[in-house]
Amino acid sequence: MPQFAVELRDVVKRFPGPSGEEVYAVKHVSLQIHDGEFFSLLGPSGCGKTTSLRMIAGFELPTTGAVMIHDRHMGETPPFQRPVNTVFQNYALFPHMTVGENVAFGLEMKRVPKTDIAPRVTEALRMVRLPGMEKRKPKQLSGGQQQRIALARALINRPEVLLLDEPLGALDLKLRKEMQLELKTLQREVGITFIYVTHDQEEALTMSDRIAVMSGGEVLQVGGAADIYERPNCRFVADFIGETNFLRGTVKEQKGKTTVVEVDGGITVRAESENSLAHGQSVTIAVRPEKIHLRPTSGAANAFAGRVEDLVYIGTDTHYGVRFAGDHRVRVREQNTDSASTPLARVGDEVTVSFAEAAARVLVE
Amino acid sequence: MTAFLRSLRDKDNLRGLGLISPSLLWMIGLLIIPLIVVMISSVGGRDPDGNVIFGFSFHNYLRLAGYNYDTPCGDVPPPCFDDLYLTILWRSLVLAFQTTALVIAVGYPLAYFVARAPAGHRNLLLFLILVPLWTNFVIRVYAWIMILRTQGVLNGLIGSALGVLNLPFKPLEMLYTPGAVLVGMVYEFLPFMILPMYTSLEKIDSSLFEAAADLGANPLRTFLRVTLPLSMPGVVAGTILVFIPVMGTFIVSDILGGRQVILVGNLIQRQFLDARDPAFGSAASILLMVMTLIVTIFYTRTFGFGEEIASA
């Protein structure tokens, strides 16, 4: 039994740059992706996530390092001999073939007998909820339908790993949300390992078992959605995933996880850190807006007087911008649970912002 | 007619008419009217001075079909069957097919190469393909005489190559053969095939090649199943651009074929200039047009103009 579905071992990819110098697309990436996992590569454009995916597919070869699929070293194996299939960002359906011919293409290449292909095409189209579309041309289908055909065309080959390169990028928001759930359900049904490239953090959080956050060609953090959201390991991850307030300061003392940080402007904040930190070390504290409250909550380790500077009502929540301790500004998100539509505070009100010790994460620069 | 005039009151229609009128006048004056004149003279006859006598008889067409009125065909006295003109028509048709096929065979790899070259190099390569067109058509054909004649460049090269090996060499008779005409035609019409084929090939989204590879197609099968079908619109357009002019051209066969390779184009030219029988020349022109039209219609019925695939 192989240990991992896909393993990247210290993979580096360099491209020749425009003025002759070498440009790193991927720098020393190591990843282990388990069988049956829904794994996302998440990051802004240019972070190396698509290049990493293309190296697994075989469209690019690593400059150094190894790509392993189920313990087999891929080396220079061309794409048409790899046990993976890809769903492309622009779908890449063959325009001169019908939907049926598109979906059958992979099996035909494997020289599966014609009599076996037809029922499998029917089954694949049923699976993506487009039964009976065999005779249509891709052009006659909507974007969402083309997306599903691309999915059927890849899944019909029963690949060991399915690679998805921002497959929902071209769809509108509502359809994208539907497809996210559908993809996740489909992945559970077929049990195939999915590696999903996206720049949309919400999409990654919704669907993935685990996420690798990438930036500048490096993997910054790998973990489940909650790990990454609740316990980001650096400022980039905290900032990229969701909204975060940052407070800069220096470590004053540490007892176990509890870390007291002296924040510029003369306040001290009690925060949590798993790392042992040196006295006087400069750090950043990250606090999510929904974990800050506008009234002192019982047992809150941190409470500061401040003034509401702006207020945005967005239905489920109200967002407040609060300035406190001189120059610090935080965003606070309060749920509108009261039936009375009166906000907790108005612009200009003096308020107390408070948050628990566990809500504040210490990030080392 | 009143409906037409009424529609002219609409400003948009008037503007449309204004926009097409220069080309409309051009087409009427230089295509439609001459064509009608040719049609009328093709059913006429010829007086001793070589003028057209207007009338209505199909005897020019019968002559083309092999009906000989006045001269004996070998030992047979007239009227008799003479396959002279049918042979010329058949030869023209065969040569046009051969030229088109060879131009595709030579041009496709070149178009493929240019389309797959790095984007920055493509314009330079296309430019190089078009450079010969800066020289006059006739001069380019004459250049082939220098290459193909008995004391020409090609025989010189073969001779010196064999001379090095100490082998005897008798210069090849290449000029004034059907082969020489074919080579000249292929050379002249190659760019007209390469450009549309290049356009088709270049338009294919490269992610389709990746998709084919991803689904298990090796490079050969990717070419046969994806590249080739998607580049067919270019091949179809190029075929139309090459086949039609080759059917009617007479310069290449005149210069490189001498008296040996007479094509329907030469036949028509000679009727108007040397034989002074414009009526018969007109009939041959109409026949050529009809033949070309039939082949083209048959071809486009089978392959389309390629636009269905191109727009997909």
Side-chain angles (χ1 to χ4, degrees):
Chain A
M1 186 63 191
Q3 220 181 336
F4 301 113
V6 173
E7 193 183 356
L8 301 186
R9 286 190 191 159
D10 197 26
V11 167
V12 173
K13 180 67 185 178
R14 285 192 301 261
F15 287 109
S19 47
E21 82 284 9
E22 297 254 276
V23 176
Y24 281 85
V26 171
K27 291 179 200 165
H28 303 285
V29 163
S30 292
L31 283 174
Q32 284 107 28
I33 297 158
H34 302 289
D35 252 322
E37 197 170 30
F38 197 123
F39 191 92
S40 290
L41 296 171
L42 173 66
S45 59
C47 72
K49 57 192 192 297
T50 294
T51 307
S52 301
L53 195 79
R54 289 173 61 81
M55 285 192 285
I56 300 170
F59 299 133
E60 311 281 355
L61 296 175
T63 311
T64 62
V67 174
M68 320 280 292
I69 298 174
H70 282 136
D71 287 356
R72 295 191 304 282
H73 199 305
M74 283 297 120
E76 296 189 0
T77 310
F80 60 90
Q81 286 167 347
R82 295 197 181 199
V84 300
N85 285 113
T86 307
V87 176
F88 292 86
Q89 187 169 16
N90 62 355
Y91 321 137
L93 296 175
F94 303 121
H96 58 301
M97 298 182 197
T98 62
V99 165
E101 287 166 341
N102 264 286
V103 176
F105 192 86
L107 297 182
E108 241 180 88
M109 291 303 119
K110 279 193 210 155
R111 302 186 193 283
V112 173
K114 278 229 155 43
T115 47
D116 297 354
I117 292 179
R120 278 177 71 178
V121 169
T122 310
E123 165 61 21
L125 288 177
R126 195 199 52 76
M127 189 171 66
V128 296
R129 302 204 287 122
L130 287 174
M133 288 280 192
E134 281 93 338
K135 295 276 177 280
R136 304 271 191 98
K137 281 286 181 80
K139 233 205 152 182
Q140 297 170 283
L141 305 181
S142 69
Q145 290 173 322
Q146 291 186 30
Q147 175 55 61
R148 288 175 204 203
I149 299 303
L151 201 59
R153 183 177 71 171
L155 281 174
I156 197 173
N157 305 295
R158 295 172 192 155
E160 291 176 25
V161 179
L162 185 73
L163 308 173
L164 302 103
D165 184 8
E166 306 221 20
L168 308 183
L171 304 181
D172 61 56
L173 186 66
K174 191 164 175 291
L175 196 55
R176 197 154 70 217
K177 298 257 184 221
E178 275 175 37
M179 283 299 290
Q180 284 173 9
L181 294 175
E182 227 173 276
L183 265 178
K184 182 69 195 151
T185 314
L186 192 63
Q187 192 263 342
R188 264 192 227 114
E189 269 172 33
V190 295
I192 291 172
T193 312
F194 277 32
I195 303 180
Y196 191 97
V197 161
T198 181
H199 65 269
D200 183 336
Q201 41 110 359
E202 204 183 315
E203 198 165 282
L205 293 177
T206 309
M207 293 193 287
S208 319
D209 296 318
R210 285 195 307 150
I211 301 166
V213 184
M214 293 185 73
S215 171
E218 288 170 300
V219 171
L220 300 177
Q221 188 171 4
V222 182
D227 281 334
I228 291 200
Y229 188 80
E230 303 288 348
R231 289 175 288 283
N233 67 358
C234 62
R235 188 176 170 134
F236 181 87
V237 174
D239 202 20
F240 190 72
I241 317 276
E243 207 185 335
T244 308
N245 295 298
F246 292 111
L247 300 167
R248 285 171 166 281
T250 51
V251 177
K252 207 170 160 193
E253 62 170 304
Q254 192 178 29
K255 274 185 205 139
K257 275 187 177 182
T258 306
T259 312
V260 180
V261 176
E262 184 158 2
V263 172
D264 316 340
I267 54 169
T268 53
V269 172
R270 298 172 75 84
E272 270 193 359
S273 173
E274 283 91 24
N275 306 317
S276 66
L277 302 162
H279 181 83
Q281 192 173 347
S282 72
V283 293
T284 300
I285 293 170
V287 196
R288 298 285 182 193
E290 72 275 16
K291 294 188 176 162
I292 306 181
H293 300 285
L294 280 190
R295 287 173 195 150
T297 37
S298 54
N302 304 290
F304 308 99
R307 180 193 293 271
V308 175
E309 285 195 334
D310 59 82
L311 177 155
V312 183
Y313 174 81
I314 58 155
T316 54
D317 298 336
T318 304
H319 294 185
Y320 301 88
V322 180
R323 184 177 295 277
F324 72 98
D327 222 15
H328 296 291
R329 244 185 81 89
V330 285
R331 295 207 61 77
V332 180
R333 190 182 300 164
E334 290 279 11
Q335 259 193 304
N336 298 325
T337 44
D338 289 345
S339 51
S341 58
T342 46
L344 288 167
R346 294 175 194 288
V347 173
D349 281 2
E350 300 288 340
V351 291
T352 305
V353 288
S354 68
F355 49 93
E357 182 185 306
R361 293 279 306 168
V362 178
L363 305 173
V364 182
E365 293 297 293
Chain B
M1 195 63 198
T2 48
F4 175 70
L5 288 175
R6 203 178 303 129
S7 77
L8 281 186
R9 262 184 247 146
D10 192 336
K11 256 193 193 159
D12 280 346
N13 282 327
L14 205 60
R15 191 185 303 133
L17 194 71
L19 286 171
I20 62 164
S21 56
S23 50
L24 197 65
L25 290 176
W26 183 272
M27 294 289 272
I28 291 173
L30 295 172
L31 186 74
I32 310 284
I33 293 174
L35 195 61
I36 293 169
V37 171
V38 169
M39 278 168 151
I40 292 170
S41 23
S42 78
V43 290
R46 154 184 199 261
D47 72 8
D49 297 330
N51 296 315
V52 177
I53 304 167
F54 293 100
F56 189 81
S57 98
F58 285 107
H59 94 270
N60 285 324
Y61 290 99
L62 289 172
R63 234 178 105 193
L64 282 168
Y67 189 80
N68 192 334
Y69 299 88
D70 32 28
T71 50
C73 323
D75 305 335
V76 189
C80 56
F81 177 74
D82 187 343
D83 65 358
L84 174 67
Y85 301 123
L86 287 180
T87 311
I88 291 174
L89 283 169
W90 177 247
R91 185 189 293 140
S92 304
L93 200 62
V94 169
L95 193 77
F97 275 116
Q98 286 173 331
T99 304
T100 309
L102 262 176
V103 164
I104 293 173
V106 174
Y108 196 94
L110 193 55
Y112 185 86
F113 172 78
V114 177
R116 290 298 196 89
H121 296 179
R122 284 180 213 154
N123 283 340
L124 177 68
L125 292 168
L126 285 177
F127 172 75
L128 291 176
I129 288 168
L130 294 178
V131 159
L133 296 183
W134 292 4
T135 310
N136 180 283
F137 182 90
V138 179
I139 293 172
R140 273 180 287 142
V141 183
Y142 265 107
W144 277 100
I145 296 182
M146 303 300 145
I147 298 171
L148 295 176
R149 65 186 177 156
T150 323
Q151 271 88 39
V153 177
L154 200 54
N155 269 319
L157 282 173
I158 299 171
S160 40
L162 291 174
V164 171
L165 301 168
N166 254 334
L167 293 167
F169 174 62
K170 185 173 165 291
L172 301 167
E173 296 292 338
M174 289 178 288
L175 199 56
Y176 309 127
T177 60
V181 177
L182 185 59
V183 167
M185 295 272 205
V186 169
Y187 172 74
E188 288 299 337
F189 289 96
L190 196 54
F192 301 100
M193 183 63 85
I194 290 176
L195 290 182
M197 288 200 299
Y198 163 78
T199 310
S200 267
L201 282 164
E202 197 258 349
K203 249 194 323 208
I204 303 174
D205 180 357
S206 64
S207 68
L208 296 179
F209 305 132
E210 287 188 348
D214 187 73
L215 293 164
N218 61 31
L220 177 67
R221 301 181 88 190
T222 300
F223 177 78
L224 293 175
R225 291 294 306 275
V226 178
T227 318
L228 192 60
L230 285 174
S231 63
M232 275 314 280
V235 178
V236 171
T239 301
I240 294 168
L241 284 180
V242 169
F243 182 84
I244 295 174
V246 165
M247 272 299 280
T249 186
F250 59 90
I251 293 177
V252 178
S253 46
D254 208 42
I255 297 171
L256 299 177
R259 294 270 141 192
Q260 312 296 313
V261 190
I262 293 171
L263 301 179
V264 62
N266 306 91
L267 175 71
I268 295 166
Q269 180 218 10
R270 281 170 201 187
Q271 293 311 313
F272 279 96
L273 301 179
D274 306 342
R276 300 190 61 79
D277 191 349
F280 185 57
S282 298
S285 302
I286 297 290
L287 189 64
L288 168 64
M289 225 175 67
V290 169
M291 267 172 57
T292 312
L293 211 60
I294 289 172
V295 174
T296 311
I297 288 171
F298 179 76
Y299 183 74
T300 51
R301 279 276 168 87
T302 315
F303 296 102
F305 285 98
E307 76 275 63
E308 303 90 346
I309 302 171
S311 65

